[in-house]
Amino acid sequence: MYKRSLLSASIVFALTSTAYAQEYALFDEVVVSATRTEQNKEDVSSSIETVSSSDISKTLSTDVKQALKYTPGVNAQGSGRFGISGFNIRGMENSRVKVMVDDVQQPVPYNPGATEQRKYPNNIEIDTLQAIEINKGPSSTLYGSDALGGVVLFRTKNPEDVLVTTDGDEHRFGIKSSYASTNEEFKNTLTWAMRKGELETLLMATYANGHETQTHGTGLEVEGPDRGAANPADSELGNLLGKMFYQASDFHRFGVTVEYYNKQYNEDELNHHGYSMAPTLTYTENFNKDTNERLRVGFEHEWLLATAIADKLDWSINYQDSSSLSKNYDTTPLYGKRMRERDSGDKSIQFNAKASKLAEFASTPHELTFGANYVSTIFNLENTDYKFDQGTSGPGSSGVPDADLLQWGVFLQDQVYFLDEALVMTAGVRYDSFSANPKADEGYKTAYDKNEDTALTGKLGVVYHLNDNLSVFGQISQGFKAPTVYDLYYFYDQGAIIDANPDLKSEKSISYEAGLRGQYDSAIFELTTFFSDYKDFIVKEKTGRQGNKDVISKKNLDEVEIYGAELSSTTLMDKAFNAPQGVYTRLAIAYADGEDKKTRNALDSVAPLTADFGIGLNRATYGALANVKMVARKSDWNSDTNVDVAGYTLVDLTAYYRPMHDLTLRAGLFNAFDKKYWLFDDLSGRDATGETFSIDSKSQPGRNWGVSLDYQF
């Protein structure tokens, strides 16, 4: 009664006009991250945010951070030399949020604190994405470790996302070219999709080159720590995505995926010129050359079984090699000319299997989903210091050891439909095992025993359709995060002493979520409230002094809680209020608050109140969108070492023109009123009176613009 099948959706798309199909997609959204199966969003018992490839194109987004800037309760973090560092979901960030690409988990963020090296899960080309799904709140029952605060799932395009027919031989080509003034980047993406008989293929190639992302125009163009402008840099990106699927029979479909990403970033660190840590450590001639790469090769099999145990089995095996190489050049009186090479890598083998079964017990429909995953990862650092004037080289301190990581888990989920599908209940349970086996070497000489842990997590959710238009939903879910190699073994002994702790336990969470959804012919909305409790947080705490240095230890200590509410809605104004054809509005508001339960201090990672309002026009040949984003001041911090971040309002304007069916021209003006502003997470942990480098170097771009041309034929 309330659940429309994917088959009926396909029929609607095939038989109706493009405009109606877009409207249908708006109100009958299908998601996969909530249950690991395709499901209408109206039957999901938690809050799921989706950004489609169409949304990405409409906003002229050139990276994931821009694609998520209008998403309530979600922020992509970081910028500049090392790019996006991770994601913040309702105040949870870094390794507490799991990142996945096509069911392949990405390495956790690694930041040893120094400016010579970072490794982040950001080597993802946005033009290849069909959708981004964000599962808010603990999601370990389906995704295991690191899903303590949620999951960000990237789905790359498949041939059927590009092809316009459902059967028969077809070729489809595309070229998308764009320019963004904020970093003077030119980008081109070529696409070729093909179906011949039972074979479908997709090939996408992207090349981009540009420069540094500008800070606000009032940043000082000087050398040294007072510099407010971004350091000059050259950026070059290449990405290749290839997929092939073969329908061997009515029961078997096989697929192969190859994905390769490479980004070069060369920066002249003018802000370090003349910077001095001591008389013998005054830096000159600072520049760096960075290379980030990711290679993924995968095989997948879809098997229709029609047995008593399962109706369908999907399994895949993937090899992934993700690496970053940073070459840091400088000159100091103490070392002369030198180069500090920092090479880090994660190589993994990942196996995933998932089966589903539709069954009926006592006249009640059940949709069972069960499966397992296995991830074996080799984490390695190879740091070398070259002193050119002295003609020597040697191992550089890595701070953490190389390690072999092993994760595996099994899960079971049952979705039950009562009262003619008006009441939907979902229950799930998962068992996980984790181990980290460190290895001593010249860069990290201390030997430690293996760290091992297990976790049992569960969730229970319910959706009740009050009528055809209104639904209430709620969910209780658990999450956990096994300690990372950095958490367990990081050691530092320069300005202070930070001890390793190989006995850390996993962090844990439980979240309660409740909400109301409305779905009408002219509007949809969702109101969500949530409360999350996190335990065994891994924290650093000052425990004493050794000589003239503070001693800092890592412990499972803190308990924190985060609560809040979110509202999102889209209204077709032409249907609701007889506005001109194609006029629509959208609204999103996100509020969150939280505290450290031990100190009762606010959490630095919780975003301030944010509201986003847009009004647009969507017609077959042209359209436009005006968007206003308002962010409140951030003044509640965990300590007094942070600078207050002023609130701001941004206005973005975008428009498109479609002179022919397959050709779309887009243009956008962003930060139209040239507002100077800072993101709260860029200034977290920063004291404006004691910070060495200028606060302007963290400012966001001023007024900027972009254009794109997309021709699919």
Side-chain angles (χ1 to χ4, degrees), residues 4-12:
R4 297 185 180 177
S5 69
L6 293 178
L7 176 61
S8 66
S10 301
I11 293 172
V12 170

Side-chain angles (χ1 to χ4, degrees), residues 185-257:
E185 181 183 79
F186 289 92
K187 179 190 283 190
N188 291 283
T189 296
L190 302 177
T191 303
W192 171 43
M194 180 270 290
R195 183 191 300 114
K196 186 173 180 60
E198 304 301 325
L199 179 68
E200 291 184 348
T201 62
L202 174 69
L203 183 64
M204 300 187 70
T206 301
Y207 175 77
N209 65 78
H211 300 284
E212 71 281 3
T213 298
Q214 298 292 330
T215 57
H216 195 272
T218 58
L220 289 176
E221 291 277 0
V222 298
E223 295 186 11
D226 291 333
R227 182 179 179 84
N231 289 326
D234 294 321
S235 174
E236 188 174 24
L237 179 151
N239 191 85
L240 182 68
L241 174 67
K243 292 189 176 184
M244 179 177 67
F245 296 93
Y246 181 68
Q247 190 74 42
S249 69
D250 291 340
F251 303 99
H252 296 278
R253 185 172 189 254
F254 300 94
V256 175
T257 298

Side-chain angles (χ1 to χ4, degrees), residues 427-448:
V429 64
R430 180 183 176 107
Y431 175 83
D432 279 280
S433 176
F434 170 89
S435 68
N437 189 13
K439 300 177 180 179
D441 56 22
E442 290 184 326
Y444 191 97
K445 298 182 178 181
T446 305
Y448 288 102

Side-chain angles (χ1 to χ4, degrees), residues 213 297 387 393:
T213 298
V297 180
K387 299 174 182 177
S393 64

Side-chain angles (χ1 to χ4, degrees), residues 347-362:
K347 296 180 180 179
S348 66
I349 297 289
Q350 304 190 28
F351 173 80
N352 289 283
K354 178 194 67 180
S356 57
K357 176 66 180 177
L358 290 174
E360 190 171 288
F361 303 103

Side-chain angles (χ1 to χ4, degrees), residues 513-531:
E513 189 171 6
L516 174 68
R517 289 194 186 103
Q519 180 169 316
Y520 298 85
D521 291 338
S522 60
I524 57 173
F525 73 88
E526 180 175 292
L527 174 63
T528 308
T529 60
F530 60 90
F531 176 87

Side-chain angles (χ1 to χ4, degrees), residues 521-641:
D521 291 338
S522 60
I524 57 173
F525 73 88
E526 180 175 292
L527 174 63
T528 308
T529 60
F530 60 90
F531 176 87
S532 300
D533 193 27
Y534 301 88
K535 296 182 179 180
D536 288 330
F537 252 37
I538 297 171
V539 297
K540 295 176 183 178
E541 185 179 71
K542 180 179 175 181
T543 56
R545 289 184 65 84
Q546 184 174 319
N548 61 347
K549 298 179 180 179
D550 290 335
V551 176
I552 299 172
S553 299
K554 287 174 284 187
K555 298 180 178 180
N556 289 104
L557 183 63
D558 277 6
E559 295 186 25
V560 303
E561 62 182 28
I562 299 176
Y563 53 89
E566 296 163 355
L567 171 67
S568 61
S569 69
T570 301
T571 303
L572 304 180
M573 302 297 288
D574 50 356
K575 286 189 174 184
F577 302 104
N578 293 319
Q581 179 189 359
V583 175
Y584 68 95
T585 62
R586 65 184 193 188
L587 172 68
I589 302 174
Y591 165 78
D593 201 354
E595 65 178 18
D596 182 327
K597 294 174 70 174
K598 176 186 175 183
T599 64
R600 295 299 175 184
N601 290 333
L603 297 180
D604 293 349
S605 59
V606 173
L609 175 66
T610 302
D612 182 86
F613 175 76
I615 181 168
L617 174 67
N618 187 13
R619 293 188 177 177
T621 57
Y622 63 91
L625 174 65
N627 204 92
V628 180
K629 183 173 183 177
M630 295 168 284
V631 180
R633 177 188 181 195
K634 173 74 172 179
S635 58
D636 293 332
W637 299 95
N638 195 32
S639 67
D640 57 3
T641 61

